[in-house]
Amino acid sequence: MSLSAIDWAQPWLAPYRARGEAVAQAVQQASSVAAALSALRPENAPAFVPQDALPTGQAYEAHIFETRTVPTRDNLHDFFNGLVWLAFPHTKRRLNQLQAGEIARRGVATVRGPLRDALTLFDENGALLDAPPVLWQALVERDWQRLFVTERARWQEARLWLFGHALLEKLVTPRKPITAHVLRTPAGASAALDDAALAGTLDPAWLRTKPFAALPVLGVPGWCAENASPAFYADAQVFRPRA
């Protein structure tokens, strides 16, 4: 696990930096990831336990729902998962509740089904965007020129929060093609995101439609020095036109 490779000054890590640096320091001083996360958890977050607390054959999401504990490995993936639990406990619990409900109804199958698929996609790779309508419309239409060049100044009115722990893990080594699955949030532009309000928006019928917009996150102004040049967005292998 390369916690030392994390650059906490990156803008996408701002919501996680304070706890993340503290957890990383504890782990580097010989604590497990589970113990370090549990030491900082707020009252409404679950406890973190070693991975071997998950009984053989039991579904991970069902175990979390039944025990209010999160089996956690000593790796970057679970490190970031824990940080998202600490930052957004209501939203993570809502995702877990919906996952566990689907597992109870349908069992664990090789094909998750549309709801579990959407929940997993958001949990692993999701992000939330609060932005002026012109930016959201350009994103949906994959009009990258308008989104990032013509209307670039409007990003000062926007906020993007990364939620997916696999997405955060990938960005430890930033690469241009890394893409988030984005939901629009009505939170209002501010430095914080209302966790309880977000959890309340996660309606199963809506999620089944997979209402995500694809966003190459290093295209966000200020998130990559190279994107100051309009030529950065000319790469059609990353900034793909709408089909």
Side-chain angles (χ1 to χ4, degrees), residues 11 21-22 24 35 38 42 48 90 107 135 143 166 189 194 201 206 231:
E21 288 185 313
S38 286
F48 299 88
H90 293 288
L135 294 185
D143 186 343
D194 189 327
T201 68
W206 177 59

Side-chain angles (χ1 to χ4, degrees), residues 3-228:
L3 291 174
S4 60
I6 301 172
D7 180 1
W8 292 106
Q10 295 287 10
W12 53 82
L13 289 176
Y16 304 104
R17 182 172 184 173
R19 287 193 183 99
E21 288 185 313
V23 172
Q25 183 178 20
V27 172
Q28 289 166 339
Q29 293 172 350
S31 174
S32 69
V33 172
L37 288 165
S38 286
L40 290 178
R41 70 185 180 97
E43 289 184 3
N44 56 355
F48 299 88
V49 296
Q51 180 68 19
D52 59 14
L54 177 65
T56 302
Q58 183 170 22
Y60 171 79
E61 296 287 355
H63 181 80
I64 294 173
F65 183 75
E66 292 168 9
T67 67
R68 306 292 181 182
T69 63
V70 180
T72 302
R73 301 162 296 183
D74 289 326
N75 61 26
L76 280 175
H77 190 82
D78 287 10
F79 170 81
F80 282 115
N81 183 48
L83 291 185
V84 180
W85 267 107
L86 296 182
F88 299 104
H90 293 288
T91 302
K92 289 285 280 187
R93 195 175 295 283
R94 174 60 173 162
L95 293 173
N96 176 247
Q97 175 192 41
L98 293 172
Q99 286 273 21
E102 286 294 286
I103 290 170
R105 279 188 290 274
R106 303 173 183 271
V108 178
T110 53
V111 178
R112 292 191 183 99
L115 179 55
R116 284 193 66 208
D117 192 37
L119 293 168
T120 301
L121 193 61
F122 183 63
D123 191 36
E124 295 279 350
N125 205 58
L128 296 135
L129 178 64
D130 173 42
V134 64
L135 294 185
W136 180 257
Q137 190 61 37
L139 175 60
V140 170
E141 295 176 357
R142 298 190 182 185
D143 186 343
W144 309 114
Q145 177 72 22
R146 180 157 55 109
L147 179 64
F148 289 127
V149 181
T150 307
E151 300 291 346
R152 192 175 185 85
R154 300 300 298 270
W155 278 93
Q156 296 177 28
E157 306 166 47
R159 297 291 185 276
L160 179 69
W161 295 269
L162 302 192
F163 183 88
H165 53 282
L167 177 63
L168 291 165
E169 180 188 12
K170 285 184 282 188
L171 281 164
V172 171
T173 308
R175 294 180 298 106
K176 190 175 183 180
I178 295 174
T179 298
H181 290 77
V182 180
L183 294 178
R184 189 179 189 184
T185 173
S190 65
L193 181 63
D194 189 327
D195 176 36
L198 172 60
T201 68
L202 298 178
D203 174 68
W206 177 59
L207 289 169
R208 281 190 185 93
T209 69
K210 294 186 181 175
F212 306 109
L215 173 64
V217 295
L218 293 185
V220 175
W223 282 29
C224 173
E226 290 83 356
N227 76 28

